[in-house]
Every structure is written in C-alpha cells, then in structure tokens.
Amino acid sequence: MKIINLNDNENKLYYIGGVVRDEILGLKSFDVDLTYVGNAIEFAKTLKNAEIIKINEPFGTVRVKIDGKEIDIASTRAEIYEKAGHLPTVTKIGCSLKEDVSRRDFTINAMAKQYNSGEITDYTGGLEDIKNKQLRVLHDKSFIDDPTRILRALKFAVRFNFTLEENTKKLRDEYLKNVNYDMSFKRVKKELIETFNLNSQTAYDEFISADIYKLITEKDIQKPDINIEQFVNKYKNLINPQNIWLIYVGTVRDLENLEPTLTKEEKKILDDFTLIEKRNPQNDYDIYKMFEGLMSETVILYGVMENSDIAKHYLDNLKDIKISITGQDLQKLGFEPSKKFGECFEFILKEKIQNKHLTFDNEIELAKKFFE
Ligand code: CTP
C-alpha cells in the first residue's frame, strides 16, 4: 500500500534494492527501501502530512512519519571504498539513479521501481539474472571493496536457491585465497547472523567447502560429521532463534576476529563450550554436572562438535531433573544447617538422576538415610 501521496508529475522517488527484488520474486520483503533522485531531506520537507523524525545529513537520509507509519527515504548517493573492507565514504548526495545503483552488491539488488508509475529501471541486468537464478556482482573489485558481499551471496543463494554466476564465483574464490583481515568484523557478524539464523545445512556445507569460513579465520576447520540443521531443529524450542548462527559459526574454533563484536551472552555460550569440550563424563551424574547451568546453545554446540549422544541424552532425559527438598525441609527434620546440607542434596540428586520418579517423600527418606 502506498503511504506517500505524490503529485502525478513527481517521478524521482523509487523503491530500491531488496524490496524490488523480493516483489519480482513474489516474496515478502523484510524492509522497504526508498530512494529519491536528488536530496531526500529537501524532498521530505515538501511532503504534506509528513513529520520529519530524523535526519542523517552526511548520508542524505531522512525518516518521516506519515499516518503513524515511519518510513526511511535515502538520497541517491555515490560512494567510494577508501579502505577496502570498511564502510565506504559518501562522495556525492543526489547523483543519478544509474550512479546510485552502480555502487551496490548484485544485479538483483540494483533494480529500482518508480513509486508513482511502478516502472522498473534495471540498468545492470537484474531481471535477466533473476530469470536465470543467478547472483552477479556489478564489477570485478566488488568483493575486495566489501568482502561481506561473499556472505551476502551465500545468504541470497540459500534464501532464493540461486547460484553464483561464473565470473562472480571466480572473483569470490580468488578473494578467499588471499583474505585481507583488516575489515569491519561488525559487518561480517551481521551477515553471519542473517545467513546462519536461516538454519540451513546447505549454507553451512557451502561455507566450509568453498572456504568462505576463511573470511573469519586463517586456520583450517574440522568439519563436524553431523547435520547441524537437523540437530538444531530437534531442539529448536530450547534455542533463542537469534543464537542459531552461533551453533554453526561456533564450529570455527578460532573466533578471535569476531570476539570484539560478540555480546556477553554470545561470549558465554562459546566460552562455556571451551570449558567443557575436553571432558569425558563417565555416567549420567557426570553428564548432568557437566552441563548443569549452561545455556542450551552451549550444550547443542557440544552436541555438534563432540558427541551428539551425550548432549542429546542430557537434553532428552536429564536436563529437567531437580530435587524437591530444600534446606527448610532438612531443618524441619531436626538437622542443623551446615555444609553437610549441600552434600545431602548432591546425594539425593545422584539417586534422582538414576530414578527420576523419586517423590518428595522418597527424598525425605534418602535425607534421613544420609544423616544416619
Ligand atoms: N548493499 C550493498 N552492499 C552491501 C549491503 C547492501 O550493495 N554490503 C545494497 C544492496 O543494494 C541492498 C541494499 O543495499 O539491496 C539494502 O541492503 P540490505 O537491507 O542489507 O539488504 P536487502 O537487499 O534489503 O536484503 P534483506 O532482504 O536481507 O534485507
């Protein structure tokens, strides 16, 4: 539905990028990008019923509120990559549409659709590539300028079931043989999240076999002999969907480059895995104690990397075992609080792990036995 009311002769406002691609593919878009050929900020000021919410002068972007809905409008802009792998610098606001689309990643993301007339402008052959289900870069330096596009290619390939056009694939493979690690890993992380939160084994297989993982580490990887997608699906209700990517990317053991970009929770998931990975539990109690208190994502990563049976057994059979009696119950039985209480709880827990149907009364009996 059109929110912005334009004069019939206004022809400089366009839908651009992903939203045009998705509409052609018959898919729902995540967000709607609009671009104005000229200065979007000045344009926004002329709009009736539009309240200006936010202006980003250097980028020429503006957020407006119309009928209670917030919309971002960008100015057409030209950019250069002064430092490969980092954010580009804006060199011109209000350039031609052709110049604006030529800074973009793939032909399928470089189409524009006029807001008023719906006419498609396709300077780079995006429609043809959509027909052929291909991802094609716009120039040979694309991956050098912005290596995150290698992950974007993987993401789009999996999302749309597309393949990389021959020269694009060649450029990708050349880059991966000689990665420049002086890049913005914050941007890499964003693409890793968007790629692997799709929970796709196909994406992971390609990530490893095409050496795309070399974007984050120089070290080789030991590919786990397990279908991660199936494993994650089995335990989906235990995983925060925002963390799925960590189960995949956690298999790349050297994550030093990504480390500064990780949140506290993400670090905990990975660090806890490092603490347990070498353990060799001998019985159910050992398994329980090994995983006790850890986030499910850590247990699942262990399942993927080390031994799926142990992790599965914990998640399927042991995770929810808890003893019912408390210190108060022990005091009611006449025992004085001491560190013996802790030992008693462990004693009961050990029994309960062997027989999870123990009742509260059974636990009381065991406590009495313990203090005998
Ligand atoms: N873009 C680019 N290079 C990047 C990131 C983005 O050229 N590294 C351009 C593409 O034209 C893309 C647009 O910016 O279509 C918007 O980027 P983004 O919102 O990340 O992607 P979408 O194509 O909208 O895809 P998604 O559906 O995943 O949001």
Side-chain angles (χ1 to χ4, degrees):
M1 193 194 66
K2 278 193 195 153
I3 299 168
I4 306 176
N5 249 324
L6 297 176
N7 295 331
D8 286 348
N9 59 359
E10 175 56 84
N11 56 10
K12 292 184 183 170
L13 186 66
Y14 288 85
Y15 295 102
I16 193 117
V19 62
V20 183
R21 172 202 71 212
D22 288 346
E23 193 185 308
I24 294 166
L25 285 165
L27 301 171
K28 204 177 163 325
S29 233
F30 294 120
D31 55 7
V32 174
D33 288 320
L34 289 173
T35 199
Y36 182 78
V37 182
N39 188 316
I41 301 167
E42 297 307 318
F43 165 70
K45 289 178 189 162
T46 69
L47 287 175
K48 288 191 197 93
N49 308 328
E51 181 193 344
I52 296 192
I53 305 286
K54 205 166 126 192
I55 288 179
N56 183 337
E57 200 83 48
F59 273 82
T61 57
V62 58
R63 178 168 297 165
V64 292
K65 196 173 186 178
I66 303 173
D67 289 346
K69 289 218 168 69
E70 294 194 6
I71 313 167
D72 290 313
I73 310 174
S75 306
T76 42
R77 65 173 190 263
E79 294 175 341
I80 51 160
Y81 285 85
E82 284 180 328
K83 210 168 158 204
H86 292 266
L87 269 184
T89 312
V90 178
T91 53
K92 194 169 160 194
I93 301 275
C95 64
S96 69
L97 187 62
K98 194 168 184 179
E99 219 177 326
D100 180 282
V101 298
S102 70
R103 69 179 162 83
R104 294 173 184 265
D105 52 1
F106 304 106
T107 60
I108 65 162
N109 290 341
M111 291 179 287
K113 180 181 158 185
Q114 208 174 73
Y115 196 81
N116 255 346
S117 69
E119 190 190 329
I120 303 269
T121 303
D122 176 21
Y123 289 115
T124 65
L127 284 170
E128 185 66 19
D129 282 332
I130 284 192
K131 222 186 283 160
N132 296 325
K133 293 173 143 285
Q134 282 197 332
L135 291 154
R136 182 193 306 267
V137 286
L138 305 190
H139 58 87
D140 284 4
K141 266 190 77 213
S142 190
F143 293 137
I144 298 170
D145 283 343
D146 182 355
T148 67
R149 289 174 174 169
I150 293 180
L151 285 165
R152 289 175 65 80
L154 176 64
K155 173 179 78 177
F156 293 128
V158 168
R159 208 198 278 167
F160 306 136
N161 196 17
F162 278 24
T163 53
L164 269 66
E165 167 275 329
E166 208 177 311
N167 183 50
T168 301
K169 187 167 179 296
K170 196 182 104 221
L171 294 167
R172 177 196 72 177
D173 294 345
E174 269 167 21
Y175 184 81
L176 290 171
K177 281 194 195 107
N178 191 14
V179 174
N180 171 12
Y181 290 98
D182 176 17
M183 67 172 95
S184 160
F185 281 98
K186 201 171 141 207
R187 303 178 76 212
V188 170
K189 181 190 171 189
K190 177 179 173 281
E191 294 303 335
L192 286 169
I193 292 176
E194 288 183 16
T195 306
F196 287 110
N197 280 355
L198 294 171
N199 187 28
S200 156
Q201 185 66 29
T202 312
Y204 185 70
D205 289 342
E206 177 75 359
F207 183 65
I208 305 297
S209 65
D211 279 351
I212 299 173
Y213 74 93
K214 291 279 180 197
L215 281 177
I216 40 181
T217 178
E218 276 173 285
K219 298 197 182 129
D220 287 337
I221 180 174
Q222 186 92 37
K223 189 180 179 215
D225 187 19
I226 188 171
N227 185 307
I228 304 179
E229 180 180 334
Q230 280 172 11
F231 203 85
V232 167
N233 271 336
K234 184 163 177 351
Y235 296 105
K236 216 160 195 174
N237 57 338
L238 298 176
I239 308 175
N240 174 349
Q242 290 309 311
N243 288 334
I244 292 176
W245 74 283
L246 274 183
I247 314 284
Y248 287 90
V249 177
T251 64
V252 179
R253 301 309 319 287
D254 168 38
L255 292 176
E256 211 178 304
N257 285 321
L258 282 182
E259 171 99 24
T261 72
L262 298 176
T263 63
K264 243 180 165 173
E265 180 175 290
E266 290 165 344
K267 271 197 190 122
K268 181 169 164 47
I269 291 169
L270 297 170
D271 290 349
D272 283 351
F273 168 67
T274 320
L275 292 178
I276 58 171
E277 68 178 321
K278 292 281 174 282
R279 295 234 201 123
N280 186 14
Q282 298 299 314
N283 53 43
D284 283 0
Y285 179 72
D286 287 354
I287 297 173
Y288 184 96
K289 295 309 280 184
M290 169 169 149
F291 293 127
E292 189 183 20
L294 300 185
M295 291 180 65
S296 307
E297 287 85 343
T298 303
V299 183
I300 289 161
L301 180 58
Y302 180 91
V304 165
M305 291 296 288
E306 299 288 320
N307 182 329
S308 60
D309 290 341
I310 287 178
K312 271 190 199 150
H313 180 47
Y314 175 77
L315 295 169
D316 292 343
N317 306 310
L318 305 176
K319 186 174 76 61
D320 295 326
I321 296 177
K322 301 252 169 335
I323 61 168
S324 314
I325 67 167
T326 63
Q328 271 183 344
D329 297 320
L330 295 182
Q331 277 176 277
K332 272 190 214 153
L333 292 174
F335 302 119
E336 283 295 313
S338 74
K339 76 174 188 349
K340 280 251 164 207
F341 274 26
E343 290 168 25
C344 174
F345 294 144
E346 282 306 302
F347 170 73
I348 296 168
L349 177 66
K350 248 182 210 168
E351 295 291 326
K352 197 156 185 175
I353 285 170
Q354 280 169 44
N355 174 10
K356 63 177 163 191
H357 300 297
L358 284 187
T359 61
F360 178 78
D361 288 343
N362 297 145
E363 289 184 28
I364 293 284
E365 288 313 309
L366 282 168
K368 285 183 188 161
K369 199 170 137 200
F370 176 82
F371 282 104
E372 258 171 24

